[in-house]
Amino acid sequence: GDLLTQEESKDQENTETEEEDPFTLAYYPEESLNPLSSADFSNRMICSLVYQGLFTANRDGEILPILCKSYTASSDLTVYDFTIDPTATFSDGVPVTPEDVVASLRESMNHKYYGRRLRFVNVIEVTEDREVRIYLLQPNGNLPLLLDIPIVKASEVEAENPLGTGPYKLNGYGRNRSLVRRDNWWCES
């Protein structure tokens, strides 16, 4: 594998008096860095810095929303509606849309890493209210816990390096690849 280094953003000033040492992360450039298709463990670790899902779980197993502002579930736990956080953006500043979420989740259903957790999903769609609706084949009260699946732009679900919503973005290619901290990370606003 190659090494991936962290670079400071060009707009970011180093406010510390001591110069920070860059860190490196191993990755495999011949393997994809698309979080929806990468099966390599090292590359998936890099993806966790660049991409976010609708939810995450803390160390106590509590479900925490990330790209999801709110959600509701039917009384029989077979239909879920998710409202996307309107402040969530990709690294290019473009807002995350319900279409991005639907395309990412649909693509992940065909992936060996995520497919099994979505095997009980029947339909994923955008509602008239601009929410993401998921219909399940059977009740599941844990669906939000399973939706830590990375979200990418709908137009980039098959791209080798799609844009993400996380605190870092990929810069460069091959041996010149690095992680750059986002100046405009939406979670810091």
Side-chain angles (χ1 to χ4, degrees):
D2 283 357
L3 298 177
L4 189 67
T5 61
Q6 176 197 16
E7 291 182 358
E8 285 189 22
S9 161
K10 289 184 168 94
D11 298 332
Q12 186 178 11
E13 293 181 27
N14 189 352
T15 57
E16 296 185 22
T17 55
E18 293 182 30
E19 191 170 316
E20 293 183 22
D21 289 330
F23 66 89
T24 56
L25 299 170
Y27 87 109
Y28 294 90
E30 64 278 358
E31 300 290 330
S32 175
L33 281 169
N34 182 323
L36 303 177
S37 59
S38 177
D40 180 78
F41 180 76
S42 295
N43 288 13
R44 294 198 60 70
M45 294 304 296
I46 301 295
C47 290
S48 72
L49 299 170
V50 179
Y51 305 99
Q52 297 173 297
L54 292 177
F55 297 91
T56 193
N58 66 15
R59 70 176 95 183
D60 298 324
E62 295 173 297
I63 301 167
L64 305 173
I66 298 182
L67 298 177
C68 180
K69 182 176 181 177
S70 63
Y71 74 96
T72 59
S74 63
S75 60
D76 67 353
L77 300 175
T78 61
V79 181
Y80 283 80
D81 288 330
F82 301 92
T83 301
I84 307 309
D85 188 325
T87 64
T89 62
F90 291 102
S91 59
D92 62 357
V94 173
V96 176
T97 67
E99 289 81 7
D100 297 320
V101 174
V102 168
S104 296
L105 294 178
R106 285 180 180 165
E107 181 69 18
S108 69
M109 290 175 75
N110 300 317
H111 187 273
K112 66 180 178 180
Y113 189 80
Y114 296 114
R116 289 199 39 82
R117 72 173 71 178
L118 298 178
R119 67 188 177 280
F120 51 84
V121 170
N122 188 26
V123 175
I124 306 172
E125 65 183 14
V126 177
T127 68
E128 291 178 8
D129 296 329
R130 305 288 302 143
E131 294 182 327
V132 174
R133 178 168 291 157
I134 299 179
Y135 294 92
L136 304 178
L137 297 169
Q138 62 192 38
N140 188 327
N142 291 320
L143 181 63
L145 184 60
L146 302 175
L147 295 179
D148 63 342
I149 297 166
I151 303 302
V152 302
K153 285 185 174 185
S155 62
E156 298 183 357
V157 293
E158 295 180 3
E160 192 65 28
N161 301 298
L163 295 178
T165 61
Y168 291 89
K169 61 183 177 179
L170 293 168
N171 187 34
Y173 294 95
R175 295 194 182 275
N176 295 321
R177 174 146 288 170
S178 62
L179 285 175
V180 177
R181 180 129 175 94
R182 286 181 55 186
D183 291 330
N184 61 346
W185 187 37
W186 70 277
C187 285
E188 294 178 334
S189 51

